[in-house]
Amino acid sequence: MRLLITGGCGFIGSNFVRHVLEHYVPASITNLDALTYAGNPANLARIAAEFGDRYEFVQADIADREAVDRVLSGHPFYAVINFAAESHVDRSIDSPGDFIHTNVVGTGVLLDAARRHGVRRFLQVSTDEVYGSLGPEGRFTEESPLAPSSPYSASKAGADLLALAAYHTHGQEVLITRCSNNYGPRQFPEKLIPLMIVNALRDLPLPVYGDGLNVRDWIHVDDHCRAIMSVLLGGVPGRVYNIGADAELRNLDVVRLILDVLGKSDDLIRYVTDRPGHDRRYAIDAARLHNELGWEPLTRPEAGIQATVAWYRDNPSWWEPLLGRK
């Protein structure tokens, strides 16, 4: 079984590449990544040497039709798993065109190419942000209406709809996963958890949007990778699968947990002006994933965040070169 992984040098994609190569012998991977600011080859250091011809890297833009065709002509692929995305909300507010190019146009190019080349399955890796914001009660289900609040989430919702249209129009075996907030090693230090960790390690201010009481449903990236593989191998085509670990935490509580693990003072916290359209609460109902595929999360956030803090503390050579990178 050969898989085409797009965005495999990013945070979630690189962890998924490692997961597949380590746990699904003799599966092979072609990793297609444009190596934009968040695509870091260091995320997969020594992978080629360790796994030999089971791993192949191609640098290309998923919106480049000719490049995608060349890649798909090179092997008989079982599936495309599309991790490639512009993903930071703040950046989408400043430069929405980049998000439309990669997240919408790029997904359309991949879907068309996968169909033409006879790829059996296409898994679109999406986000719970397509659902918008929740009130204090309830959880998002797969039937929740799409109500994106930012250019980022709107572009991901558009990509999801293109994927579902390919299923309904062409019978393409499309699957969509919508996951809650990920954390873990090798996450680019602009996201909440790694930014707070690297700032705290350097005794710099920790910028917290608004009152810090926005709620997110956190999941360790390893649990997310296991869920994606479960959906890829056992999911029903045309379906959406929510992925969440039932681990709601307020942003401020996450920040304080990081400070506590590092033995730092809350005095480092700085409240800053909230960003436009900042969703108040996300919470995921992953019952379909549990009931149909038997998946369960293995890592609770307290232990997972402690381990993540330890990884960044022990690996400054990974994150220091990324500081200030645009």
Side-chain angles (χ1 to χ4, degrees), residues 140-154:
F140 294 128
T141 72
E142 290 84 357
E143 284 70 44
S144 296
L146 302 185
S149 302
S150 69
Y152 161 61
S153 55

Side-chain angles (χ1 to χ4, degrees), residues 120-121 164 167 171-175 234-241:
R120 179 171 173 182
R121 292 207 146 191
L164 291 173
Y167 167 74
Q172 200 165 350
E173 287 195 24
V174 167
L175 304 129
V236 177
R239 284 196 177 172
V240 175
Y241 290 86

Side-chain angles (χ1 to χ4, degrees), residues 57-68:
F57 173 72
V58 178
Q59 183 174 353
D61 182 348
I62 62 169
D64 183 337
R65 294 180 184 276
E66 292 183 359
V68 172

Side-chain angles (χ1 to χ4, degrees), residues 54-262:
R54 292 179 59 207
Y55 177 75
E56 173 187 47
F57 173 72
V58 178
Q59 183 174 353
D61 182 348
I62 62 169
D64 183 337
R65 294 180 184 276
E66 292 183 359
V68 172
D69 273 334
R70 285 196 299 271
V71 171
L72 288 174
S73 297
H75 304 280
F77 287 94
Y78 171 75
V80 172
I81 300 116
N82 183 27
F83 292 94
E86 295 286 344
S87 65
H88 192 52
V89 173
D90 288 354
R91 289 177 183 265
S92 79
I93 294 169
D94 294 335
S95 303
D98 295 339
F99 287 70
I100 295 168
H101 173 81
T102 299
N103 300 355
V104 181
V105 177
T107 299
V109 168
L110 286 172
L111 284 162
D112 290 347
R115 186 169 61 253
R116 285 186 284 104
H117 287 273
V119 178
R120 179 171 173 182
R121 292 207 146 191
F122 188 104
L123 195 153
Q124 172 68 10
V125 179
S126 189
T127 170
D128 59 355
E129 294 193 38
V130 300
Y131 296 123
S133 186
L134 275 172
E137 303 295 332
R139 296 182 181 184
F140 294 128
T141 72
E142 290 84 357
E143 284 70 44
S144 296
L146 302 185
S149 302
S150 69
Y152 161 61
S153 55
S155 68
K156 291 296 287 185
D160 289 3
L161 293 175
L162 282 175
L164 291 173
Y167 167 74
H168 290 292
T169 303
H170 302 289
Q172 200 165 350
E173 287 195 24
V174 167
L175 304 129
I176 296 173
T177 58
R178 293 178 180 151
C179 191
S180 58
N181 281 44
N182 279 229
Y183 67 93
R186 303 181 186 88
Q187 187 172 26
F188 191 80
E190 67 181 358
K191 302 287 189 175
L192 178 69
I193 287 178
L195 176 62
M196 298 300 115
I197 294 171
V198 301
N199 277 18
L201 285 169
R202 296 177 295 155
D203 291 313
L204 295 178
L206 276 56
V208 174
Y209 280 130
D211 59 10
L213 302 184
N214 301 72
V215 175
R216 297 295 180 260
D217 195 346
W218 294 94
I219 184 171
H220 193 278
V221 66
D222 289 347
D223 283 332
H224 187 191
C225 291
R226 291 190 304 104
I228 289 171
M229 204 61 186
S230 294
V231 173
L232 177 67
L233 298 178
V236 177
R239 284 196 177 172
V240 175
Y241 290 86
N242 283 347
I243 302 174
D246 191 20
E248 292 182 55
L249 289 172
R250 302 182 305 178
N251 288 350
L252 186 58
D253 294 332
V254 172
V255 173
R256 285 173 171 161
L257 175 57
I258 291 167
L259 289 170
D260 183 60
V261 172
L262 289 172

